[in-house]
Amino acid sequence: MKLVGTPMKIALLPGDGIGPEIAREAVKVLDALKRDGLDIAIDEAPIGGAGHDAAGHPLPDATLALARAADAILMGAVGGPRYDTLPRALRPEQGILGIRKALGLFANLRPAMLFPELAEASTLKPEVVAGLDILIVRELTGDIYFGEPRGRRTTERGEPEGFDTMRYAKSEIERIARVGFRAAQKRGKKLTSVDKANVLDTSILWREVVSALSAEYPDVALSHMYVDNAAMQLVRAPKTFDVIVTGNLFGDILSDEASMLAGSIGMLPSASLDAHGKGLYEPIHGSAPDIAGRDAANPLAMILSMAMMFRYTFAREDVAAKIERAVRAVLARGLRTADIARPGEAVAGTRAMGDAVVAAL
Ligand code: NAD
């Protein structure tokens, strides 16, 4: 946790492809906030393919040490065709998986928001999604993805069979549910817990544990929803949700579904938090090698990830809201990178978009 009077220590890990380009724009915004009096210290280190180039590993020891010492980690994106032939243990994505594991980042926060100015970018009708602002809190380190036993075996009839184990311990459910309740307290005070308690024993326990916790958060209205219904409601009436909390498997699917409501992947931030509020903040998109080096990437997902960092790690709602207001003002003025422009509309580059956000701050 950050001590009063010490700078906010941010580890900046630009990564590969468009990663360094969007990181540069994030630094511009941080520099502007510094000029406004925020005490911020930024240290940069390579990760992913850049880590491999610099130190022979996607997560160099020095990078992990820097991430451990920081209050928050701001990451661009990793990966690229140059690294596709490396052995699995040296591939760029191992850098992210390694850092998540080493830092115990168990809570994944994915907002799906659609600025009214971009309502046309969604595949859903503008009236269904304009102004959408929901948050999905997904457990990241348990569930059927990690449960044992798992594997393949042969049935008594000699047929091959695959099997996995869904499991959640009470303590794991409690800690992710608390993240959901606290996030709801900072937002619209509504929490929907998503499970499959009509079929799965794991989900019955999940529902019991989340229900019991709600007594500690009387200001948050808790409801429960089966995952199949949640998938349906997300496209039918997504604006009825505020915060959704769910397990790893259901969250994986629902968060991707929700991100499509918001149109471009260049707009969506994310956070992965540990038990003490330390977090890794990154856009949900990848390194976009197809547009890297062409000043064509949308830096807003990265800049909005930074807003989440101020909200969740540094408890500076004022700074988070200020960044989000600046982004909204820039969009309202009609500035668009190629991914969010309508056909025929004038297109701004990565740098111009970053400069405009700084000016709007
Ligand atoms: P991608 O997200 O990089 O790109 C998908 C499409 O979206 C591309 O057409 C790209 O140009 C576009 N796009 C992405 N971000 C954009 C932005 N900010 N502005 C404008 N357009 C944007 O996914 P991909 O092409 O499947 O993967 C490319 C590389 O990224 C791969 O090496 C993959 O492994 C890696 N990847 C990394 C992460 C991560 O770092 N967290 C996540 C996903 C993929």
Side-chain angles (χ1 to χ4, degrees):
M1 268 322 234
K2 199 188 101 57
L3 299 172
V4 176
T6 57
M8 305 179 199
K9 279 169 69 179
I10 300 169
L12 179 69
L13 314 181
D16 311 315
I18 61 168
E21 297 172 52
I22 56 176
R24 200 182 310 123
E25 302 314 309
V27 169
K28 278 186 198 166
V29 174
L30 287 173
D31 285 344
L33 293 169
K34 271 202 230 176
R35 287 195 294 276
D36 274 359
L38 277 194
D39 192 4
I40 301 170
I42 312 166
D43 280 305
E44 196 177 313
I47 192 167
H52 184 263
D53 290 343
H57 194 276
L59 182 56
D61 291 342
T63 300
L64 181 57
L66 189 75
R68 279 192 202 283
D71 301 309
I73 300 132
L74 194 57
M75 199 175 73
V78 301
R82 275 211 301 131
Y83 309 104
D84 282 351
T85 51
L86 287 171
R88 192 190 177 94
L90 294 180
R91 297 202 29 176
E93 55 270 28
Q94 295 302 321
I96 306 185
L97 297 176
I99 211 166
R100 281 191 185 142
K101 186 157 181 233
L103 300 183
L105 305 173
F106 70 91
N108 187 224
L109 274 58
R110 292 238 317 232
M113 48 190 169
L114 184 59
F115 293 92
E117 293 79 6
L118 296 181
E120 300 287 334
S122 173
T123 49
L124 270 73
K125 291 189 189 126
E127 63 268 27
V128 175
V129 286
L132 176 77
D133 179 11
I134 64 182
L135 175 70
I136 299 193
V137 177
R138 166 190 171 195
E139 203 285 333
L140 213 52
T141 55
D143 206 351
I144 195 164
Y145 292 175
F146 296 93
E148 297 285 347
R150 61 189 295 168
R152 291 173 70 140
R153 59 191 168 203
T154 305
T155 65
E156 282 173 10
R157 286 186 307 175
E159 190 184 0
E161 178 179 74
F163 62 100
D164 299 274
T165 303
M166 178 175 273
R167 55 161 299 283
Y168 265 120
K170 182 181 172 203
S171 57
E172 292 173 295
I173 302 169
E174 270 180 359
R175 69 176 187 173
I176 192 70
R178 283 188 194 284
V179 175
F181 278 112
R182 288 194 202 117
Q185 282 179 322
K186 292 183 186 170
R187 296 173 40 102
K189 304 195 164 39
K190 265 169 60 182
L191 180 65
T192 306
S193 171
V194 170
D195 61 37
K196 189 72 183 168
N198 50 343
V199 178
L200 299 169
D201 281 317
T202 313
S203 281
I204 295 172
L205 177 69
W206 177 283
R207 198 173 271 222
E208 281 169 18
V209 172
V210 177
S211 298
L213 266 189
S214 75
E216 292 179 36
Y217 303 90
D219 51 334
V220 175
L222 171 70
S223 60
H224 301 275
M225 195 179 275
Y226 298 135
V227 62
D228 41 348
N229 187 24
M232 202 162 69
Q233 298 305 328
L234 267 177
V235 285
R236 195 187 71 85
K239 285 193 267 184
T240 57
F241 292 103
D242 177 21
V243 180
I244 293 175
V245 65
T246 190
N248 203 346
L249 170 66
F250 301 152
D252 190 0
I253 298 163
L254 293 182
S255 60
D256 267 19
E257 183 189 2
S259 69
M260 277 321 295
L261 303 174
S264 172
I265 131 173
M267 292 297 302
L268 291 174
S270 79
S272 303
L273 305 180
D274 77 358
H276 311 288
K278 177 168 179 160
L280 180 139
Y281 298 85
E282 56 177 328
I284 70 160
H285 62 72
S287 58
D290 54 332
I291 57 167
R294 301 201 342 234
D295 193 40
N298 184 347
L300 295 179
M302 180 73 166
I303 290 170
L304 292 168
S305 297
M306 216 159 55
M308 289 188 81
M309 173 181 81
F310 284 106
R311 176 169 293 126
Y312 291 105
T313 290
F314 297 121
R316 288 295 302 262
E317 177 60 34
D318 57 329
V319 181
K322 186 172 167 174
I323 296 171
E324 288 165 356
R325 267 198 312 274
V327 168
R328 177 134 189 220
V330 166
L331 293 173
R333 286 217 322 269
L335 212 66
R336 302 282 185 271
T337 43
D339 57 312
I340 51 175
R342 275 184 282 176
E345 230 173 3
V347 161
T350 310
R351 289 166 197 269
M353 186 57 107
D355 290 342
V357 174
V358 169
L361 273 176

